[in-house]
């Protein structure tokens, strides 16, 4: 799991989170979106490349 408190822009291709929709590594993406949800008493954090990938997940 990627440390959510890491420095912005400190990710490399190997350590970057992946987009929930398309699976691409998210490295220095200015439109990167993060959504946190509570599902059955469990916290889930999902990363998305941009608004298009976020909308495709809904």
């Amino acid at each position: 799991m990627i440390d959510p408190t890491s420095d912005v822009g400190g990710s490399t291709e190997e350590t970057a989170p992946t987009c929930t929709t398309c699976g691409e590594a998210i490295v220095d993406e200015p439109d990167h979106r993060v959504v946190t949800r509570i599902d059955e008493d469990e916290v889930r954090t999902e990363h998305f490349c941009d608004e298009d990938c976020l909308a495709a997940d809904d």
Side-chain angles (χ1 to χ4, degrees):
M1 181 177 148
I2 303 300
D3 178 7
T5 61
S6 63
D7 293 334
V8 174
S11 294
T12 64
E13 193 75 28
E14 294 81 32
T15 63
T18 56
C19 178
T20 299
T21 303
C22 70
E24 293 292 320
I26 302 170
V27 180
D28 297 328
E29 293 289 333
D31 297 328
H32 176 203
R33 300 291 180 254
V34 179
V35 176
T36 302
R37 298 180 173 128
I38 306 289
D39 186 23
E40 295 182 12
D41 295 329
E42 207 170 296
V43 177
R44 277 188 341 178
T45 301
E46 298 172 314
H47 296 262
F48 300 92
C49 296
D50 53 29
E51 290 293 331
D52 293 336
C53 280
L54 177 60
D57 188 61
D58 289 335

